[in-house]
Amino acid sequence: MTPGLIIETADFVAALLFILGLKRMSSPVTARSGIVVAGWGVLVATLASFLYVFGVDPAAQPNLAVNLGLGIAALGIGVAWAWVTGEKVPLTAMPQMVAIYNGMGGGAAGCIAAVELSGNGAMPMGQMIPAIVGAVIGAVSFSGSLIAWAKLDGKINKTIRLPGQQAINSLLFAAIVGLGVYMLVATGGQSPPALTSIFFGAALALGVLVTLPIGGADMPVVISLYNACTGLAVAIEGYVLDKPVLVIAGVVVGAAGTLLTLLMARAMNRSVANVLFSRFGETGTAGAGEIQGSMKPVEAGDAAISMRYAGKVLIIPGYGLAVAQAQYKLYEFVKLLQAAGVEVAFAIHPVAGRMPGHMDVLLAEAGVPYDLMKELDEVNDEFRSTDVALVIGANDVVNPAARTDKSSPIYGMPILNADHAHQVYVIKRGQGKGYSGVENELFYADNCNMVYGDAQAVLVKFIAAIKELGAAA
Amino acid sequence: METTLVGFIALYIVMLATFTGIEVISRVPAILHTPLMSGSNFVHGIVVVGALYALLNATTPAQQVIGFVGVLLGAGNAAGGYVVTRRMLAMFKASAKEKA
């Protein structure tokens, strides 16, 4: 076998392993082996790619020893750094870690484009167009993901919005397109380094500007979108390099990521463009009608005891649970209820938290078995037969206005029908509004009581109340 | 180097891979959305292979630097994506197993 044939074979095997691996990830039973299968794919293809040393460009031949050394060093440093951070980071920091690793992939695709565009010979149009397009997508994904990381990690706390943000973004985008076309047409396939640098700089700036104004609760859409973008950039650069495995892996991820992005956007009843370009609630909260009733506070202990004697309890977690790091206490409380014969399950909204499926990971971390986690469609009819719905740190996803109030900004968004339960308890820090800025009429409903306080502290009280009861009995 | 991805062949690959991606993902339950996203994040870490190719063929110092950064970023994408996904998936357990 020639080195070339070995590389092709390894790439083919890798593509096969990726698809098999992702397929296994579609069920919680086989998912754990799925990542290992896909892992072998990357390992095999990476090791085989070192065989390129036998077929490098004659012009690169004198640099081969240095290049090989650089390659091994970069690989070693990159893997070591990511492995250590990935192992060390607490699981609650998952959204930002996914964002940063994804951004690195986009950056790598951008680097490939930069190397190809600064090539020695003139590049044919058929190569240069995709190289340029992939460069923009990769660069935007890189800088955008870094901003998403900074926001999720609390490095940037407020949403930053420049005056005339839309116009600036549009102008910048037009400039990038203009530069790209100029590079293509006027430079005869050999773009001067200064021009290429400006081009990349503009693309990086676009990623920053697009992501800065996006608020925390929209992050599930954004992370998923950038994941799809990186996939696309990788696929395009794979075409430029004539590497089918990159095209297949990139397109599969791009398609999957796009689908997930649309699912997330649909769960918020908004379009992806709306998430990216306009502020939530910007479209008139004026129509917010008068809400009847008042918020009725209740003691934590009383709420706990009423759940202890309920037949069925559904728990609705939100980002507040993640912030309070209360998932362990929550599961401890749930186990006490279960021991008392109460049927307990978790009702999880698709966009609760800061990334798709965030609540599921959070609960899994605390040891909650996955068959207790119910999806919106599967659980929503059960609320009518539920004695107590316990809402923890969630707000907009249980607001009945989404069903009834046409003037509400969240009208049409699928919600969990917590208000259909006989009794609702809401654990909440204060009387503030949710991310959308809309008042939640559920909190004023007759069958709803508020337990004010930090989720962790409240759950500790819940647990104490149940234990006391057990001791007294 | 001989080119394999010519014209329509490339388009066929893109088309089939798109359907594969949609088919594979559309059946994933919502509880696995995070690991799935993280897992696909890992899969595009294969970009490191392309970056290695670009670096090995680098002729100028600028290309060497950019190629080095590319491999570094790609390797981070792959390794980080793998570790994080594996850790997440390790947490998902069924209640039946717990009792056993």
Side-chain angles (χ1 to χ4, degrees):
Chain A
M1 272 173 112
T2 62
L5 192 58
I6 296 175
I7 294 176
E8 300 261 349
T9 313
D11 285 2
F12 178 81
V13 171
L16 182 71
L17 291 176
F18 290 158
I19 294 169
L20 286 176
L22 284 175
K23 180 83 202 136
R24 292 188 76 83
M25 280 194 204
S26 60
S27 153
V29 185
T30 56
R32 292 160 86 173
S33 61
I35 183 68
V36 178
V37 170
W40 281 108
V42 172
L43 189 65
V44 165
T46 309
L47 290 180
S49 66
F50 276 100
L51 292 173
Y52 280 127
V53 293
F54 295 111
V56 292
D57 236 37
Q61 201 68 51
N63 292 336
L64 189 57
V66 178
N67 288 350
L68 186 61
L70 285 175
I72 292 170
L75 208 57
I77 298 170
V79 168
W81 174 82
W83 202 279
V84 171
T85 53
E87 286 286 3
K88 266 204 333 214
V89 78
L91 282 155
T92 38
M94 278 303 147
Q96 51 266 48
M97 291 323 277
V98 172
I100 198 168
Y101 296 140
N102 175 58
M104 292 174 85
C111 287
I112 295 174
V115 171
E116 295 300 308
L117 287 170
S118 65
N120 315 301
M123 233 179 161
M125 281 270 195
Q127 301 262 277
M128 202 165 169
I129 297 173
I132 288 177
V133 173
V136 176
I137 301 175
V140 168
S141 181
F142 175 67
S143 59
S145 296
L146 286 189
I147 298 295
W149 167 79
K151 289 189 154 218
L152 289 164
D153 210 43
K155 301 250 186 310
I156 303 177
N157 282 322
K158 50 179 187 246
T159 48
I160 299 156
R161 185 173 286 267
L162 305 171
Q165 179 93 36
Q166 300 248 35
I168 296 175
N169 289 358
S170 311
L171 275 177
L172 192 56
F173 184 70
I176 291 168
V177 173
L179 273 174
V181 172
Y182 179 78
M183 283 162 73
L184 200 62
V185 180
T187 62
Q190 256 189 313
S191 163
L195 187 63
T196 316
S197 309
I198 296 173
F199 173 73
F200 273 97
L204 290 171
L206 183 66
V208 172
L209 287 179
V210 166
T211 320
L212 272 179
I214 298 174
D218 283 330
M219 281 300 156
V221 178
V222 175
I223 295 191
S224 179
L225 180 71
Y226 282 138
N227 192 34
C229 282
T230 301
L232 199 60
V234 170
I236 294 171
E237 297 308 331
Y239 173 79
V240 176
L241 294 177
D242 196 41
K243 291 282 284 177
V245 66
L246 261 66
V247 177
I248 291 171
V251 170
V252 167
V253 172
T258 307
L259 191 72
L260 191 59
T261 309
L262 294 175
L263 274 177
M264 292 302 115
R266 198 189 306 154
M268 298 207 265
N269 194 40
R270 303 169 66 197
S271 69
V272 176
N274 183 269
V275 172
L276 289 180
F277 301 119
S278 72
R279 182 163 29 182
F280 204 4
E282 211 168 40
T283 48
T285 36
E290 300 268 303
I291 296 174
Q292 304 291 319
S294 60
M295 292 200 200
K296 297 164 286 298
V298 68
E299 282 302 313
D302 298 343
I305 287 163
S306 94
M307 280 183 266
R308 158 71 179 74
Y309 289 105
K312 182 173 172 185
V313 174
L314 277 175
I315 299 172
I316 300 161
Y319 186 56
L321 181 72
V323 174
Q325 294 283 312
Q327 65 273 28
Y328 289 97
K329 287 287 167 215
L330 176 60
Y331 189 44
E332 197 184 332
F333 174 62
V334 167
K335 280 192 279 195
L336 285 175
L337 290 182
Q338 285 173 327
V342 184
E343 185 191 344
V344 189
F346 295 86
I348 299 172
H349 194 276
V351 292
R354 290 292 182 263
M355 64 179 167
H358 190 176
M359 289 302 124
D360 304 280
V361 180
L362 194 70
L363 293 173
E365 185 196 352
V368 176
Y370 59 77
D371 39 272
L372 290 187
M373 305 175 201
K374 305 275 177 79
E375 294 179 29
L376 185 125
D377 293 337
E378 128 186 54
V379 80
N380 239 354
D381 295 331
E382 286 184 32
F383 278 103
R384 284 194 192 284
S385 60
T386 297
D387 300 303
V388 180
L390 175 64
V391 180
I392 305 176
N395 193 336
D396 293 330
V397 298
V398 290
N399 191 342
R403 276 199 313 260
T404 52
D405 181 4
K406 284 202 174 135
S407 66
S408 173
I410 61 168
Y411 178 71
M413 170 172 147
I415 59 154
L416 288 161
N417 297 329
D419 54 325
H420 289 172
H422 298 297
Q423 170 68 46
V424 183
Y425 290 117
V426 179
I427 302 179
K428 209 169 171 307
R429 272 168 192 266
Q431 304 197 336
K433 296 168 188 170
Y435 172 68
S436 67
V438 183
E439 280 285 0
N440 195 336
E441 56 188 73
L442 169 70
F443 300 163
Y444 296 88
D446 289 338
N447 62 344
C448 178
N449 290 93
M450 312 295 290
V451 186
Y452 290 117
D454 172 77
Q456 174 107 10
V458 170
L459 283 161
V460 169
K461 283 187 206 160
F462 278 9
I463 292 165
I466 303 261
K467 284 194 173 153
E468 221 169 273
L469 200 68
Chain B
M1 191 176 71
E2 238 180 282
T3 26
T4 36
L5 288 171
V6 246
F8 274 96
I9 302 290
L11 280 181
Y12 282 124
I13 290 182
V14 168
M15 176 187 75
L16 294 173
T18 305
F19 281 114
T20 309
I22 292 173
E23 275 305 302
V24 164
I25 279 14
S26 58
R27 289 171 200 174
V28 174
I31 59 162
L32 284 176
H33 275 164
T34 296
L36 170 85
M37 190 179 63
S38 175
S40 59
N41 180 20
F42 162 68
V43 165
H44 66 51
I46 188 68
V47 70
V48 69
V49 169
L52 260 175
Y53 174 83
L55 174 60
L56 289 176
N57 284 293
T59 49
T60 64
Q63 287 185 333
Q64 287 176 317
V65 171
I66 302 168
F68 179 83
V69 174
V71 175
L72 192 75
L73 293 175
N77 178 186
Y82 182 81
V83 171
V84 162
T85 312
R86 202 206 53 212
R87 281 182 64 195
M88 265 189 253
L89 287 172
M91 300 180 314
F92 281 89
K93 297 183 194 83
S95 47
K97 261 188 200 162
E98 261 190 4
K99 281 168 203 153

